[in-house]
Amino acid sequence: MAHTTLMMIKPDAVENGHIGGILEKVTAAGFQIKALKLTQLSKNDVERFYEVHQERPFFGELVAFMSRGPIVAAVLEKENAVSDFRTLIGATNPAEAAEGTLRKLYATSTGENAVHGSDSDENAEIEAAFHFAGRERF
Ligand code: ATP
Ligand code: MG
């Protein structure tokens, strides 16, 4: 059965010219793109998106980083999309990310780690609805 996940290509990877490289790896890994856009989050948008982390010491840094420039948001479809995409992106800290993963290839630090992937089917649907109207999803 096909499942969905929500990807963001974060501002660092967009600034560094990695949109094309990342989308190539994502589609080569068998994910189908069901929604896609270049957009910029406000500080308030980031505070809502990453609300679960609001008490963490890095929250202010995360809000500043994620709102500083454009991101790419996408809904991806594949069997076991959430867990397979987490495997493709690699560990949160790129120094711990496996060879060939998106964070190993494109991330520079734990804070600026190139790509987001949903952590559950439930959150994937909440995050997809956060970024896309129904008519933008296929
Ligand atoms: P994401 O949710 O963006 O896919 P993740 O699930 O691997 O990342 P989370 O624990 O959900 O990791 O943290 C969300 C984001 O907060 C991280 O991707 C990173 O940008 C930032 N972050 C997490 N831990 C730290 C830290 N110790 N120092 C700085 N930033 C951090
Ligand atoms: Mg997370």
Side-chain angles (χ1 to χ4, degrees):
M1 181 193 149
H3 298 91
T4 62
T5 192
L6 187 283
M7 167 179 82
M8 293 189 291
I9 301 177
K10 298 185 180 185
D12 59 327
V14 173
E15 287 160 9
N16 293 328
H18 297 315
I19 296 174
I22 290 170
L23 291 179
E24 175 60 33
K25 296 264 179 214
V26 167
T27 52
F31 292 88
Q32 267 197 291
I33 296 172
K34 307 296 283 186
L36 182 68
K37 74 166 102 176
L38 188 67
T39 185
Q40 183 164 0
L41 301 176
S42 68
K43 287 193 162 62
N44 182 261
D45 290 331
V46 180
E47 285 163 4
R48 288 186 294 119
F49 189 90
Y50 281 112
E51 194 177 15
V52 296
H53 296 306
Q54 62 188 339
E55 304 303 333
R56 309 283 289 277
F58 57 81
F59 190 64
E61 214 178 302
L62 176 62
V63 170
F65 163 58
M66 285 300 296
S67 62
R68 81 174 181 213
I71 62 152
V72 172
V75 175
L76 306 176
E77 190 174 276
K78 183 185 184 295
E79 199 176 323
N80 299 316
V82 167
S83 62
D84 283 6
F85 192 65
R86 298 287 304 191
T87 302
L88 180 65
I89 68 182
T92 306
N93 179 353
E96 293 163 9
E99 283 304 323
T101 61
L102 297 178
R103 283 171 170 164
K104 181 74 174 187
L105 288 165
Y106 299 118
T108 51
S109 68
T110 300
E112 304 205 0
N113 59 8
V115 187
H116 163 81
S118 307
D119 60 12
S120 68
D121 288 348
E122 188 191 359
N123 283 337
E125 198 42 57
I126 291 168
E127 293 174 1
F130 179 97
H131 281 290
F132 295 100
R135 68 180 180 282
E136 297 177 304
R137 295 177 65 176
F138 299 90

